Amino acid sequence: MSPTLTFADAQRILAAGLAKADEIGQPMNIAVVDAGGHLLAFGRQDGAIRASIDISQRKALTSVLMNAPTAALMELVQPGAELYGLEQTAGGMVIFGGGVPIYRDSELAGAVGVSAGTVEQDVTVAEAAASAAKG
């Protein structure tokens, strides 16, 4: 049986991400998905830009589909690179930082996607959120 994230897990992951966003002073949109890319939990802090609602969910889905952090895809999708055009597939993947896969027993269990800050801020919050999956 594949590892999975429960709703309680998703709430804990979301809470950790929201706390980190508060700590750095950047309102965020945070999405938590299961291993199938289905939304389990979502939060939009006051002041987080609306475009990032969709972007955060697409970052989480992209991370699941590629089984990788979205930040790892950036170099691979540049013109002339091996995966050039990847972001045009699967309904529009997001290929910049802020999507982080979540593993249980070395198996993909889901992902978190964060958007509304700089890419560095998005990654920081996503990593803090994903680390809560262990607890």
Side-chain angles (χ1 to χ4, degrees):
M1 187 165 165
S2 297
T4 188
L5 294 178
T6 65
F7 180 62
D9 293 332
Q11 288 179 307
R12 187 174 63 253
I13 292 162
L14 177 61
L18 294 170
K20 188 63 167 184
D22 285 341
E23 180 184 314
I24 67 171
Q26 175 59 53
M28 294 289 193
N29 292 290
I30 302 173
V32 182
V33 300
D34 64 17
H38 304 287
L39 189 63
L40 287 171
F42 177 82
R44 177 175 176 256
Q45 292 180 302
D46 296 341
I49 60 174
R50 290 175 191 86
S52 289
I53 295 168
D54 182 59
I55 295 168
S56 64
Q57 293 176 48
R58 288 180 184 273
K59 284 182 181 183
L61 177 59
T62 299
S63 191
V64 164
L65 291 175
M66 297 304 294
N67 196 13
T70 55
L73 302 173
M74 196 64 175
E75 286 187 35
L76 299 172
V77 299
Q78 298 304 308
E82 186 175 353
L83 298 179
Y84 178 64
L86 176 73
E87 67 276 11
Q88 303 303 315
T89 65
M93 290 199 212
V94 176
I95 46 79
F96 48 92
V100 175
I102 297 170
Y103 298 97
R104 292 253 167 97
D105 300 321
S106 302
E107 299 253 352
L108 184 67
V112 61
V114 177
S115 186
T118 65
V119 172
E120 181 180 349
Q121 289 172 323
D122 291 355
V123 170
T124 296
V125 172
E127 288 175 346
S131 71
K134 297 176 181 95

